[in-house]
mmCIF file of all heavy atoms in Angstrom:
data_model
loop_
_atom_site.group_PDB
_atom_site.id
_atom_site.type_symbol
_atom_site.label_atom_id
_atom_site.label_comp_id
_atom_site.label_asym_id
_atom_site.label_seq_id
_atom_site.Cartn_x
_atom_site.Cartn_y
_atom_site.Cartn_z
ATOM 1 N N ALA A 1 0.833 -1.210 -0.021
ATOM 2 C CA ALA A 1 0.012 0.001 0.025
ATOM 3 C C ALA A 1 0.902 1.231 -0.001
ATOM 4 O O ALA A 1 0.528 2.221 -0.671
ATOM 5 C CB ALA A 1 -0.940 0.017 1.202
ATOM 6 N N ILE A 2 1.968 1.199 0.736
ATOM 7 C CA ILE A 2 2.885 2.390 0.742
ATOM 8 C C ILE A 2 3.522 2.552 -0.625
ATOM 9 O O ILE A 2 3.596 3.655 -1.138
ATOM 10 C CB ILE A 2 3.966 2.166 1.822
ATOM 11 C CG1 ILE A 2 3.311 2.158 3.211
ATOM 12 C CG2 ILE A 2 5.025 3.243 1.728
ATOM 13 C CD1 ILE A 2 4.254 1.753 4.337
ATOM 14 N N PHE A 3 3.944 1.444 -1.244
ATOM 15 C CA PHE A 3 4.552 1.551 -2.561
ATOM 16 C C PHE A 3 3.529 2.072 -3.575
ATOM 17 O O PHE A 3 3.893 2.994 -4.372
ATOM 18 C CB PHE A 3 5.017 0.119 -3.043
ATOM 19 C CG PHE A 3 5.483 0.187 -4.485
ATOM 20 C CD1 PHE A 3 6.766 0.651 -4.774
ATOM 21 C CD2 PHE A 3 4.690 -0.301 -5.495
ATOM 22 C CE1 PHE A 3 7.176 0.675 -6.112
ATOM 23 C CE2 PHE A 3 5.098 -0.312 -6.795
ATOM 24 C CZ PHE A 3 6.371 0.197 -7.090
ATOM 25 N N LEU A 4 2.287 1.556 -3.562
ATOM 26 C CA LEU A 4 1.309 2.031 -4.535
ATOM 27 C C LEU A 4 0.958 3.513 -4.277
ATOM 28 O O LEU A 4 0.736 4.265 -5.254
ATOM 29 C CB LEU A 4 0.058 1.164 -4.467
ATOM 30 C CG LEU A 4 0.200 -0.264 -4.991
ATOM 31 C CD1 LEU A 4 -1.052 -1.077 -4.735
ATOM 32 C CD2 LEU A 4 0.534 -0.245 -6.497
ATOM 33 N N THR A 5 0.848 3.923 -3.044
ATOM 34 C CA THR A 5 0.580 5.320 -2.754
ATOM 35 C C THR A 5 1.711 6.196 -3.220
ATOM 36 O O THR A 5 1.499 7.289 -3.776
ATOM 37 C CB THR A 5 0.326 5.506 -1.256
ATOM 38 O OG1 THR A 5 -0.741 4.626 -0.833
ATOM 39 C CG2 THR A 5 -0.051 6.940 -0.948
ATOM 40 N N THR A 6 2.935 5.772 -2.997
ATOM 41 C CA THR A 6 4.126 6.557 -3.438
ATOM 42 C C THR A 6 4.126 6.608 -4.932
ATOM 43 O O THR A 6 4.349 7.739 -5.520
ATOM 44 C CB THR A 6 5.380 5.885 -2.909
ATOM 45 O OG1 THR A 6 5.330 5.756 -1.513
ATOM 46 C CG2 THR A 6 6.632 6.707 -3.290
ATOM 47 N N LYS A 7 3.875 5.556 -5.644
ATOM 48 C CA LYS A 7 3.915 5.568 -7.089
ATOM 49 C C LYS A 7 2.763 6.421 -7.653
ATOM 50 O O LYS A 7 2.954 7.176 -8.586
ATOM 51 C CB LYS A 7 3.796 4.082 -7.646
ATOM 52 C CG LYS A 7 4.086 4.002 -9.051
ATOM 53 C CD LYS A 7 5.529 4.318 -9.385
ATOM 54 C CE LYS A 7 5.872 4.116 -10.811
ATOM 55 N NZ LYS A 7 7.236 4.511 -11.118
ATOM 56 N N ALA A 8 1.581 6.333 -7.059
ATOM 57 C CA ALA A 8 0.459 7.120 -7.496
ATOM 58 C C ALA A 8 0.737 8.599 -7.312
ATOM 59 O O ALA A 8 0.399 9.433 -8.115
ATOM 60 C CB ALA A 8 -0.784 6.705 -6.731
ATOM 61 N N THR A 9 1.417 8.958 -6.185
ATOM 62 C CA THR A 9 1.759 10.336 -5.957
ATOM 63 C C THR A 9 2.740 10.833 -6.966
ATOM 64 O O THR A 9 2.611 11.974 -7.500
ATOM 65 C CB THR A 9 2.374 10.464 -4.533
ATOM 66 O OG1 THR A 9 1.419 9.996 -3.564
ATOM 67 C CG2 THR A 9 2.720 11.934 -4.200
ATOM 68 N N GLU A 10 3.724 10.000 -7.324
ATOM 69 C CA GLU A 10 4.687 10.372 -8.342
ATOM 70 C C GLU A 10 4.001 10.621 -9.651
ATOM 71 O O GLU A 10 4.263 11.611 -10.385
ATOM 72 C CB GLU A 10 5.755 9.311 -8.514
ATOM 73 C CG GLU A 10 6.794 9.290 -7.430
ATOM 74 C CD GLU A 10 7.853 8.266 -7.689
ATOM 75 O OE1 GLU A 10 7.853 7.603 -8.728
ATOM 76 O OE2 GLU A 10 8.704 8.092 -6.811
ATOM 77 N N LEU A 11 3.114 9.699 -10.018
ATOM 78 C CA LEU A 11 2.406 9.864 -11.323
ATOM 79 C C LEU A 11 1.530 11.120 -11.338
ATOM 80 O O LEU A 11 1.436 11.784 -12.397
ATOM 81 C CB LEU A 11 1.578 8.592 -11.598
ATOM 82 C CG LEU A 11 2.426 7.322 -11.846
ATOM 83 C CD1 LEU A 11 1.545 6.140 -12.023
ATOM 84 C CD2 LEU A 11 3.298 7.483 -13.118
ATOM 85 N N PHE A 12 0.878 11.379 -10.239
ATOM 86 C CA PHE A 12 0.076 12.609 -10.136
ATOM 87 C C PHE A 12 0.902 13.852 -10.316
ATOM 88 O O PHE A 12 0.529 14.759 -11.027
ATOM 89 C CB PHE A 12 -0.704 12.639 -8.808
ATOM 90 C CG PHE A 12 -1.422 13.927 -8.590
ATOM 91 C CD1 PHE A 12 -2.559 14.208 -9.269
ATOM 92 C CD2 PHE A 12 -0.865 14.911 -7.717
ATOM 93 C CE1 PHE A 12 -3.231 15.401 -9.093
ATOM 94 C CE2 PHE A 12 -1.535 16.122 -7.538
ATOM 95 C CZ PHE A 12 -2.704 16.352 -8.254
ATOM 96 N N VAL A 13 2.039 13.908 -9.639
ATOM 97 C CA VAL A 13 2.937 15.050 -9.757
ATOM 98 C C VAL A 13 3.472 15.217 -11.189
ATOM 99 O O VAL A 13 3.499 16.310 -11.693
ATOM 100 C CB VAL A 13 4.078 14.982 -8.708
ATOM 101 C CG1 VAL A 13 5.120 16.015 -8.960
ATOM 102 C CG2 VAL A 13 3.543 15.076 -7.328
ATOM 103 N N GLN A 14 3.772 14.095 -11.817
ATOM 104 C CA GLN A 14 4.216 14.136 -13.202
ATOM 105 C C GLN A 14 3.093 14.632 -14.121
ATOM 106 O O GLN A 14 3.332 15.435 -15.025
ATOM 107 C CB GLN A 14 4.666 12.737 -13.699
ATOM 108 C CG GLN A 14 5.984 12.301 -13.140
ATOM 109 C CD GLN A 14 6.341 10.893 -13.579
ATOM 110 O OE1 GLN A 14 5.521 10.176 -14.161
ATOM 111 N NE2 GLN A 14 7.544 10.533 -13.303
ATOM 112 N N HIS A 15 1.876 14.216 -13.887
ATOM 113 C CA HIS A 15 0.716 14.625 -14.677
ATOM 114 C C HIS A 15 0.504 16.160 -14.509
ATOM 115 O O HIS A 15 0.278 16.853 -15.490
ATOM 116 C CB HIS A 15 -0.507 13.829 -14.319
ATOM 117 C CG HIS A 15 -1.744 14.195 -15.054
ATOM 118 N ND1 HIS A 15 -1.826 14.074 -16.435
ATOM 119 C CD2 HIS A 15 -2.912 14.724 -14.657
ATOM 120 C CE1 HIS A 15 -3.015 14.515 -16.829
ATOM 121 N NE2 HIS A 15 -3.683 14.895 -15.798
ATOM 122 N N LEU A 16 0.549 16.600 -13.243
ATOM 123 C CA LEU A 16 0.397 18.037 -12.980
ATOM 124 C C LEU A 16 1.494 18.817 -13.652
ATOM 125 O O LEU A 16 1.263 19.867 -14.253
ATOM 126 C CB LEU A 16 0.380 18.267 -11.464
ATOM 127 C CG LEU A 16 0.371 19.716 -10.988
ATOM 128 C CD1 LEU A 16 -0.874 20.447 -11.470
ATOM 129 C CD2 LEU A 16 0.530 19.802 -9.493
ATOM 130 N N ALA A 17 2.723 18.353 -13.515
ATOM 131 C CA ALA A 17 3.885 19.073 -14.153
ATOM 132 C C ALA A 17 3.748 19.134 -15.670
ATOM 133 O O ALA A 17 3.952 20.169 -16.303
ATOM 134 C CB ALA A 17 5.179 18.437 -13.726
ATOM 135 N N MET A 18 3.352 17.988 -16.293
ATOM 136 C CA MET A 18 3.234 17.964 -17.722
ATOM 137 C C MET A 18 2.087 18.856 -18.196
ATOM 138 O O MET A 18 2.231 19.586 -19.203
ATOM 139 C CB MET A 18 3.011 16.519 -18.269
ATOM 140 C CG MET A 18 4.269 15.673 -18.269
ATOM 141 S SD MET A 18 5.568 16.308 -19.287
ATOM 142 C CE MET A 18 4.776 16.279 -20.920
ATOM 143 N N SER A 19 0.961 18.820 -17.495
ATOM 144 C CA SER A 19 -0.168 19.681 -17.889
ATOM 145 C C SER A 19 0.226 21.127 -17.707
ATOM 146 O O SER A 19 -0.084 21.950 -18.589
ATOM 147 C CB SER A 19 -1.367 19.350 -16.994
ATOM 148 O OG SER A 19 -1.850 18.088 -17.207
ATOM 149 N N SER A 20 0.917 21.453 -16.659
ATOM 150 C CA SER A 20 1.330 22.888 -16.455
ATOM 151 C C SER A 20 2.353 23.293 -17.469
ATOM 152 O O SER A 20 2.337 24.435 -17.970
ATOM 153 C CB SER A 20 1.955 23.007 -15.022
ATOM 154 O OG SER A 20 1.023 22.649 -14.080
ATOM 155 N N TYR A 21 3.276 22.384 -17.821
ATOM 156 C CA TYR A 21 4.319 22.685 -18.813
ATOM 157 C C TYR A 21 3.653 22.898 -20.193
ATOM 158 O O TYR A 21 3.989 23.855 -20.917
ATOM 159 C CB TYR A 21 5.304 21.528 -18.886
ATOM 160 C CG TYR A 21 6.428 21.751 -19.923
ATOM 161 C CD1 TYR A 21 7.468 22.567 -19.687
ATOM 162 C CD2 TYR A 21 6.301 21.078 -21.111
ATOM 163 C CE1 TYR A 21 8.471 22.742 -20.616
ATOM 164 C CE2 TYR A 21 7.314 21.226 -22.086
ATOM 165 C CZ TYR A 21 8.406 22.082 -21.816
ATOM 166 O OH TYR A 21 9.367 22.244 -22.758
ATOM 167 N N ASN A 22 2.763 22.018 -20.559
ATOM 168 C CA ASN A 22 2.094 22.119 -21.887
ATOM 169 C C ASN A 22 1.188 23.345 -21.967
ATOM 170 O O ASN A 22 1.095 23.962 -23.036
ATOM 171 C CB ASN A 22 1.251 20.879 -22.177
ATOM 172 C CG ASN A 22 2.125 19.686 -22.476
ATOM 173 O OD1 ASN A 22 3.273 19.821 -22.909
ATOM 174 N ND2 ASN A 22 1.629 18.526 -22.183
ATOM 175 N N ASN A 23 0.601 23.766 -20.899
ATOM 176 C CA ASN A 23 -0.301 24.940 -20.910
ATOM 177 C C ASN A 23 0.372 26.241 -20.497
ATOM 178 O O ASN A 23 -0.173 27.284 -20.572
ATOM 179 C CB ASN A 23 -1.489 24.735 -19.979
ATOM 180 C CG ASN A 23 -2.328 23.558 -20.398
ATOM 181 O OD1 ASN A 23 -2.417 23.244 -21.586
ATOM 182 N ND2 ASN A 23 -2.944 22.882 -19.472
ATOM 183 N N GLY A 24 1.621 26.122 -20.038
ATOM 184 C CA GLY A 24 2.347 27.249 -19.448
ATOM 185 C C GLY A 24 3.092 28.094 -20.439
ATOM 186 O O GLY A 24 3.163 27.844 -21.640
ATOM 187 N N SER A 25 3.782 29.067 -19.883
ATOM 188 C CA SER A 25 4.509 30.036 -20.660
ATOM 189 C C SER A 25 5.971 29.587 -20.829
ATOM 190 O O SER A 25 6.755 30.210 -21.598
ATOM 191 C CB SER A 25 4.476 31.412 -20.014
ATOM 192 O OG SER A 25 4.983 31.337 -18.694
ATOM 193 N N GLY A 26 6.421 28.589 -20.155
ATOM 194 C CA GLY A 26 7.848 28.204 -20.177
ATOM 195 C C GLY A 26 8.205 27.177 -21.216
ATOM 196 O O GLY A 26 9.343 26.700 -21.231
ATOM 197 N N LYS A 27 7.301 26.906 -22.164
ATOM 198 C CA LYS A 27 7.603 25.911 -23.219
ATOM 199 C C LYS A 27 8.782 26.352 -24.038
ATOM 200 O O LYS A 27 9.622 25.472 -24.374
ATOM 201 C CB LYS A 27 6.353 25.789 -24.134
ATOM 202 C CG LYS A 27 5.796 24.397 -24.140
ATOM 203 C CD LYS A 27 4.642 24.357 -25.119
ATOM 204 C CE LYS A 27 3.996 23.034 -25.059
ATOM 205 N NZ LYS A 27 2.878 22.922 -25.956
ATOM 206 N N ASP A 28 8.913 27.605 -24.313
ATOM 207 C CA ASP A 28 10.004 28.061 -25.145
ATOM 208 C C ASP A 28 11.341 27.958 -24.460
ATOM 209 O O ASP A 28 12.336 27.710 -25.107
ATOM 210 C CB ASP A 28 9.750 29.533 -25.578
ATOM 211 C CG ASP A 28 8.424 29.726 -26.290
ATOM 212 O OD1 ASP A 28 8.009 28.745 -26.981
ATOM 213 O OD2 ASP A 28 7.810 30.775 -26.104
ATOM 214 N N THR A 29 11.370 28.138 -23.174
ATOM 215 C CA THR A 29 12.631 28.109 -22.411
ATOM 216 C C THR A 29 12.822 26.825 -21.601
ATOM 217 O O THR A 29 13.781 26.744 -20.839
ATOM 218 C CB THR A 29 12.659 29.323 -21.469
ATOM 219 O OG1 THR A 29 11.542 29.268 -20.584
ATOM 220 C CG2 THR A 29 12.667 30.663 -22.165
ATOM 221 N N ASN A 30 11.965 25.844 -21.784
ATOM 222 C CA ASN A 30 11.998 24.597 -21.085
ATOM 223 C C ASN A 30 12.014 24.808 -19.553
ATOM 224 O O ASN A 30 12.824 24.211 -18.841
ATOM 225 C CB ASN A 30 13.207 23.746 -21.489
ATOM 226 C CG ASN A 30 12.988 23.071 -22.798
ATOM 227 O OD1 ASN A 30 11.858 22.791 -23.169
ATOM 228 N ND2 ASN A 30 14.073 22.761 -23.487
ATOM 229 N N THR A 31 11.118 25.667 -19.088
ATOM 230 C CA THR A 31 11.038 25.928 -17.682
ATOM 231 C C THR A 31 9.588 25.743 -17.189
ATOM 232 O O THR A 31 8.657 25.907 -18.002
ATOM 233 C CB THR A 31 11.497 27.341 -17.271
ATOM 234 O OG1 THR A 31 10.705 28.303 -18.017
ATOM 235 C CG2 THR A 31 12.957 27.573 -17.578
#
């Protein structure tokens, strides 16, 4: 359960970061 929660948290953070990156202003500068 700890492993699955940790992995789910990582995937959520990656999804949030990718969505923010794709919709954000830093696409040109990779930030």
Side-chain angles (χ1 to χ4, degrees):
I2 295 170
F3 174 78
L4 290 174
T5 303
T6 305
K7 192 64 176 178
T9 303
E10 284 183 4
L11 294 174
F12 172 76
V13 170
Q14 285 176 350
H15 180 63
L16 173 63
M18 284 300 298
S19 295
S20 299
Y21 178 79
N22 290 333
N23 298 330
S25 59
K27 241 183 185 179
D28 303 328
T29 58
N30 282 335
T31 58

